[in-house]
Amino acid sequence: MPQNVQKKTDELSVVLCGEAGQGIQTVEFLLTALLKQCGYNFFSMKEYMSRVRGGSNSTEIRISSRKVNAYVRRIDILFPLTRAALEHVRDRITEDTLILGERERLTSGGDTGDLKIVDTPFTALAKEVGGAIYANTVAVGIIAGLLQFERDITDHYLGEYFGKKGDQVIKNNINALSKGYEIGERLRGERYPNLDIRKNPEIFDDIIVNGAEAIGMGALCGGCNFVSSYPMTPSTGILTFLAQQASRFDIIAEQAEDEIAAINMAIGAWYAGARGFVCTAGGGFALMTEGLSLAGMLESPMVLSVGQRPAPATGLPTRTEQGDLQFVLHAGHGEFARVVFAPGTLEDCFRLSRMAFDMADRYQIPVFVLSDQYMVDCYYNFKRPDISGFTAENHIVRTGRDYKRYQFTESGVSPRGIPGNGEGFVVLDSDEHTEEGHITENLDIRTRMVDKRLKRLDDLRREALEPELSGERDCRLMAVCWGSNANIVREAIEDSGRDDISLLYFKQLYPLPANTADYFQGAEKTVLIENNATSQFGQVLRTEAGVNIEDTIHKYNGMPFSVEEMTDHLMAFAGRED
Amino acid sequence: MPQNVQKKTDELSVVLCGEAGQGIQTVEFLLTALLKQCGYNFFSMKEYMSRVRGGSNSTEIRISSRKVNAYVRRIDILFPLTRAALEHVRDRITEDTLILGERERLTSGGDTGDLKIVDTPFTALAKEVGGAIYANTVAVGIIAGLLQFERDITDHYLGEYFGKKGDQVIKNNINALSKGYEIGERLRGERYPNLDIRKNPEIFDDIIVNGAEAIGMGALCGGCNFVSSYPMTPSTGILTFLAQQASRFDIIAEQAEDEIAAINMAIGAWYAGARGFVCTAGGGFALMTEGLSLAGMLESPMVLSVGQRPAPATGLPTRTEQGDLQFVLHAGHGEFARVVFAPGTLEDCFRLSRMAFDMADRYQIPVFVLSDQYMVDCYYNFKRPDISGFTAENHIVRTGRDYKRYQFTESGVSPRGIPGNGEGFVVLDSDEHTEEGHITENLDIRTRMVDKRLKRLDDLRREALEPELSGERDCRLMAVCWGSNANIVREAIEDSGRDDISLLYFKQLYPLPANTADYFQGAEKTVLIENNATSQFGQVLRTEAGVNIEDTIHKYNGMPFSVEEMTDHLMAFAGRED
Amino acid sequence: MDVKELEPFPELDIAWCPGCGNFGIRKVLMQALAEMEMDLTRLVLVSGIGQAAKLPHYVKANVFNGLHGRALPPATAIKAANPELTVIVESGDGDMYGEGGNHFMHTIRRNPDITCFVHDNMVYGLTKGQASPTSLEGFKTAMQPSGVILEPFNPLAVAIALDASFVARASISDSEQTKEIMKQAINHKGFALVDIFQPCVTFNKLNTFQWFKDHSYYLEEEYNPRDRVQAFQRALETDKYPLGVFYIGPERPVFEERQMVYTRGTDPLYRRSCSHEVMENLLDAKMGNPPEVLQQR
Amino acid sequence: MDVKELEPFPELDIAWCPGCGNFGIRKVLMQALAEMEMDLTRLVLVSGIGQAAKLPHYVKANVFNGLHGRALPPATAIKAANPELTVIVESGDGDMYGEGGNHFMHTIRRNPDITCFVHDNMVYGLTKGQASPTSLEGFKTAMQPSGVILEPFNPLAVAIALDASFVARASISDSEQTKEIMKQAINHKGFALVDIFQPCVTFNKLNTFQWFKDHSYYLEEEYNPRDRVQAFQRALETDKYPLGVFYIGPERPVFEERQMVYTRGTDPLYRRSCSHEVMENLLDAKMGNPPEVLQQR
Ligand SMILES: Cc1ncc(C[n+]2csc(CCOP(=O)(O)OP(=O)(O)O)c2C)c(N)n1
Ligand SMILES: Cc1ncc(C[n+]2csc(CCOP(=O)(O)OP(=O)(O)O)c2C)c(N)n1
Ligand code: SF4
Ligand code: SF4
Ligand SMILES: [Mg+2]
Ligand SMILES: [Mg+2]
């Protein structure tokens, strides 16, 4: 506990837990918006059941001086909305957890045992100011009081937020917030005398988006103007985000009848000069593998966002996992080039999604943005991207009379024309084809076309993004991870307090840059961390980089790693400090 | 040439080449049947275009003293039916090739250059005996004469074969055969004085089936009683073979509306106690990957026969390749166990297909029989399998009142009940589920279920079929191959005359037995041979067995390796004999 | 049989929203099964994925809860592999007419003796409220912010166009009649489709309980469900949607009956095994003797 | 325009069997396009896989020859991405109604302004003679040795049930009329389906040229294609199959017209790019200021 107390002074982990539909989201929205307004760094993640009402879902909101963008198991302040909620997070509750709830409601199913609940009559207080509906605002008020939010900011915000609902509602909300605020201030005095979470004026220019939005915005910046997909958790958010942009951006968003239609539509869109996109989960992607192979054969650009969730089959629809990497890498019959990105930060979600369109277009290949439920649902404040330099340049040519879609070139990539833009004809064929794009059975052309389609892997390797190294190559322990584990492992290493543990975060998983093995030269020990059971990236490292990592850390129960368990794992592998 | 002459005395490579629909198949049927009747070993392979009429297709029939079951490039006797046919195989024609054709027809498009055609008036001769329709029989007669088939056997056979068509037809055929026979005898004297192909009385008990039939028969022997698939070259033959057995065997054969329906039907069939089967090509399999993942989650047995053809997408529909291995290995979202067989002989097609059903049922996993166009279309005489010992034992239990489909067990495999067979209920769920099969979000159960599904890989590894080694482990060169290359590489090594080259033929590609690496200890050099561009099995050896083969031989123009080119490759790798 | 016997567990945790129309469908289905004295060990409930598709978990029966959109292929195969089983499919409008549309059409053509209940809430419930094929034009959702622009899918008209064996529509706002239609569908020999109006109280604020009540009525008593063209005409009515049995096709053999295997006896497949004799005969035929070689290769 | 201008190469190697009905369809299509003075550089022929689906390779045009069964999704997207293009789909009965059945239904619902010609030979030609969805009951093949047991798929009835914009049937045994129907279909605004009887001389010995002649006739001159129920009724006739335009649906906007993007101008997508201003506005909205945070997250 001692260490915990220390930490706690400059950060707080607040968890809201209740049934689906109970209003957790309202608290979360208000609270995070106010945190931003008041200048606090925060991070939020969700874990939820596959049901629309009932069950037990929780949202974690971390408030901190330094930026911490990862899931912690620790709960400093818990708002359990139901008895079941309490059970749901019971094994995360420690002596230090402050449980704020309505005792009566929480003990209805029997005594809560050794859990000390600070009875907080949200509903009663809310009723005092105008009705039970204001209970959420009371809860927000508690954190506001605890952190001593400037009241003019909070009240102004509430005014704007509830503006349309009229003055009375605004007033009631402000009063509700005051009720909570008082409690918060009292708690601060009693429980958190040393609490000192620094504000950061820089964050006023930050944006707040979750992974789904970051991917969607990256896509838009990459020139995406056609998305066809079929809803599937955890990627529905990307799809609906883009659908909602259609009123402002020049984008067509179509809900397809199935995933097969989705990818075939998107390929058609690229053919006609648009920039097509599909977003789906592993199971939906399974239905796209024939279409993926088609993109390979047609040398059609394609961008696919695959959000992983625990599988096989329907699995745990709303949970997280990194179990589809090998599938994504090898999906589709036959041999053709592809690129797999796996962003591990929201910044990278944005950046790599944008890049994906450029890569896809330049190399005329499918490019994946591989994420997972944890990644798309989490959000935090981060620097507003500077988009001034971006141009989503179309790599298409005006066709001449003798245009050949599959003209042999040194790089393997032929100038891409589109129908109706020039005097030529653009002929695409899923059969093996001639340079003109017409069906052929000529065996020599076959060989040359295979080589043509694979040749671009050389350039792709050269252009491959290097893994991000934090710390020294010469280290006691190299912690290797990809995608959404990046921030978790980063913080775990920081928490370990050891500077002989380094982080190697892969954001491009295929192809790997030629010098990949070099990163592994100096480490005494190396450990590979994956949210799956079979070390899927380990296989990639072995076949692509000749790197063989024996030590692995796995988790595959549907939850992300927590920073704490990651720290424990790493300490165990690193052994005693020399 | 000297070496060739030597060889030729105990074997002949006869090639028929013409348009689709021109009657090559009739010659082929009659000739191979007569070869069998007369006691000659033979091998036949086809290469054909994706068209129903026209184009140029060829069939190679090898007749030999020793068993040679592989494609050779060499053509001893060529029957070109059209001018285009001549062009089609032109680069396989050498000085030693005897070209038998109707000169007028073959020179119609211009001079044939330096090709010496022995003018053989099939049509004229046929007309002499009763009509142009008998030209095919004249052609058969030539080989019959060359090999001095016993006339009572040929005539008896023709009598039976054309029995239903009446005596006149029989007589005309016999006469047509005689016309050819005379030519054949004359040619023997002139061109093949030393020809000495030994008959083998043992082959009278052999059977003649192609790869498709061998797989189908193996499936039937394995208890397959339900097949649902969608036609796709090169697997249509397996499907139609099984459909045609429905009048005799207790099997339901259904042409599904698409491949998705096919696999989901087959899974349903297993659930209800049948033994389901799907057969498709790489592209059709692409549509089955979601269903495959379902089988993984349900722990449903499933047998899939995937016939490879050049891809991506439609590719070269009627050609051959080994380009879908990595796809088959990693297809389906999420992590679950599977087995991949890749038979390289007809005997193994039969044997492994039968085993596949047993493995699938015992381990409740999907099992693949991975073949290719070359494998399913080739045929030769081989020992009639002894089926007396086979029982297609159903590994199902009668359910009790408290039956749990997913009961935790040590091996990971739970007793499999089916509905309507006992007092219990059989509950299957594509979501993560409890032991009872009901949907759950319990994270601990999730972890245990993942472990349960993967645990069986231990047993599967223990039971894995070892690769077949021909020659010594301690050798100059270990030639490693899988699937349909087995017989080609085997013969190439024999032809090389070198006993320091060994063959390692993998027929199970995943999982690999634990001792796999041992096979590679003694070789000075190792070369991996695959009909693809990216060494797909090489990746398996690296990740599964830690074996890293640098030297590789590839072909991916749609044709199988020929024995000759393989011999050249191997000699180049083996270097000079010490 | 007491309806209680159909409860799968003592303390069942049903994941549907309070007030969801699916509760009614479950109740009515259980009543229908109880009244029919269904042998539960021979009952198989098959479903895909969606809110509707969760139903099988909430009834005591054998369950095959497969993939989204893919309930019909396994259902067909289960019935074919063992015709002794009663096979009922529980599906949603997205599951059956969207992702599963191709199987919907071709299963009707196949005509297996199974029953298909489609919980039609005109929305994707489980994935939180996107349009479904049956969503009405203009229906607004997060995914369709300017409203649905596709023509709503008319499942009855399509089923009638495919000459489905039994085509009905029910509305869970009337349990009694829905139960009767369900029983009739289960008893019907051949493929039976019942599209059931089911309010989604959370994501469909347009097609509510009241809306369904207001926008439906029963086909008249004298209505003749044997007239295909008339059935089609009635299926086109959308001012108010008719309820009841629209169409009963001409009697024809069902899929499983037409399988050769059942001409040789009624045993389900699991009680049969590959006969060595037949196999040896097949091997005989593969020895290159005339005339099999021609026929078989 | 001279038909010859539609020849793609001097020496074209057409892979169809001599006598195949596809030759006629190709010829008639080329004539129709020539008579319409089609701008070929803006013409896109889209197809899946099959004998019919090879047609695009034999005409001078832009070609998207995709996957078996998947012609309609790319066709829809091509038209949506660039409404200046004329999009014609060439497909087979297996390609369109079998593997592609789900897209067939939902594309009709979407109603893009594309034309869909289905070469209906009632068999799988390219894969050498298995039954197709439109094969008649009892039709024997290697795969269906005891004959087809499924109800034949009735594409017209289904299209009418889905309220398709334009539904017709032609038979290549009559080139002249087929050409006129094709032209009408191409000119029609909205999704136009023409099912074209096409003899497969190699694998369908039942439905031959003569058979199609004997088993078809034209809808009377006074036939009114605006009556949906009557169109349905006529689509059910199978003693002799009516030919002609069965149904023209009520006028309604096409898919691409209804896209927001084209309310802001008619430029195809490739002539637009992501506006920095709009993007900056979106970023502004993501700064946690009220009230966007609520709407957007
Ligand atoms: C291949 C695939 N795509 C998408 C999904 C996600 N998904 C699950 S249910 C569903 C739609 C449910 O709608 P409906 O069938 O109408 O059922 P309801 O929930 O409304 O009862 C979707 C899109 C999935 N599980 N699998
Ligand atoms: C996914 C997939 N499944 C199967 C095939 C094999 N295949 C190609 S064309 C075809 C059927 C062709 O029938 P149809 O559409 O009627 O065209 P036709 O050849 O008769 O003109 C099939 C089954 C394929 N190419 N892809
Ligand atoms: S979301 Fe709709 S359909 Fe799903 S349980 Fe809730 S009310 Fe029922
Ligand atoms: S097989 Fe039939 S459809 Fe195909 S080209 Fe030949 S005749 Fe035409
Ligand atoms: Mg629904
Ligand atoms: Mg056809």
Side-chain angles (χ1 to χ4, degrees), chain A residues 290, chain B residues 230-233 259 283-284 287 309 314, chain D residues 22 49-53 68 91-96 99 119 121 123-127 130 132 198:
Chain A
E290 194 201 14
Chain B
Y230 189 80
M232 189 161 185
T233 314
E259 287 83 354
L287 292 165
R309 67 188 218 189
T314 313
Chain D
N22 282 323
I49 294 293
Q51 299 286 21
H68 181 52
S91 188
D93 39 334
D95 199 41
M96 183 57 56
E99 185 84 69
H119 306 205
N121 55 9
V123 75
Y124 283 9
L126 190 66
T127 47
Q130 301 80 31
S132 91
Q198 169 243 325

Side-chain angles (χ1 to χ4, degrees), chain A residues 314 335 430 441 451 534 556, chain B residues 50 314 335 430 441 451 534 556:
Chain A
T314 313
E335 302 174 294
S430 71
E441 297 218 31
D451 291 338
T534 60
Y556 43 89
Chain B
S50 176
T314 313
E335 302 173 296
S430 71
E441 298 219 29
D451 291 338
T534 60
Y556 44 88

Side-chain angles (χ1 to χ4, degrees), chain A residues 52, chain C residues 15-17 20-22 51 121 125-126 198-203:
Chain A
V52 171
Chain C
W16 294 321
C17 310
C20 174
N22 281 324
Q51 299 286 20
N121 54 9
L126 190 67
Q198 168 244 326
C200 165
V201 298
T202 306
F203 294 114

Side-chain angles (χ1 to χ4, degrees), chain A residues 48-51 232 260 282-290 293-294 296-297 309-319 321-324 326-328 330-336 430-432 440-444 446-448 450-451 453-454 531-536 538-540 542-544 546 548 556-559, chain B residues 48-51 232 260 282-290 293-294 296-297 309-319 321-324 326-328 330-336 430-432 440-444 446-448 450-451 453-454 531-536 538-540 542-544 546 548 556-559:
Chain A
Y48 51 100
M49 288 184 167
S50 176
R51 52 192 291 170
M232 189 162 186
I260 303 173
F285 171 66
L287 291 165
M288 296 184 175
T289 57
E290 194 201 14
S293 180
L294 176 66
M297 188 52 134
R309 66 190 220 190
T314 313
L316 291 170
T318 60
R319 307 273 166 198
E321 191 159 281
Q322 297 184 308
D324 300 335
Q326 284 290 341
F327 182 31
V328 155
H330 298 290
H333 49 303
E335 302 174 294
F336 52 95
S430 71
D431 297 274
E432 194 53 275
T440 186
E441 297 218 31
N442 181 306
L443 304 184
D444 294 330
R446 161 70 184 174
T447 301
R448 292 186 68 188
V450 173
D451 291 338
R453 288 188 290 266
L454 294 174
N531 249 135
N532 59 40
T534 60
S535 289
Q536 300 196 16
Q539 293 173 43
V540 182
R542 219 174 294 178
T543 52
E544 290 298 308
N548 206 343
Y556 43 89
N557 70 349
M559 285 290 287
Chain B
Y48 50 101
M49 289 185 166
S50 176
R51 53 192 292 169
M232 189 161 185
I260 305 173
F285 172 66
L287 292 165
M288 295 185 175
T289 58
E290 193 199 15
S293 180
L294 176 67
M297 188 53 135
R309 67 188 218 189
T314 313
L316 291 171
T318 60
R319 308 273 164 198
E321 190 159 281
Q322 297 184 309
D324 299 336
Q326 284 290 340
F327 182 31
V328 155
H330 299 290
H333 48 304
E335 302 173 296
F336 52 95
S430 71
D431 296 274
E432 195 52 275
T440 185
E441 298 219 29
N442 182 305
L443 304 184
D444 295 329
R446 161 70 184 173
T447 302
R448 293 186 66 190
V450 173
D451 291 338
R453 287 188 289 267
L454 293 174
N531 250 135
N532 60 39
T534 60
S535 290
Q536 301 197 14
Q539 293 174 41
V540 183
R542 220 175 293 179
T543 53
E544 290 298 308
N548 205 344
Y556 44 88
N557 69 349
M559 284 290 286

Side-chain angles (χ1 to χ4, degrees), chain C residues 171-183:
Chain C
S171 174
I172 197 58
S173 52
D174 179 352
S175 321
E176 217 27 65
Q177 278 306 310
T178 300
K179 188 179 73 190
E180 292 311 317
I181 293 172
M182 277 186 168
K183 290 199 313 202

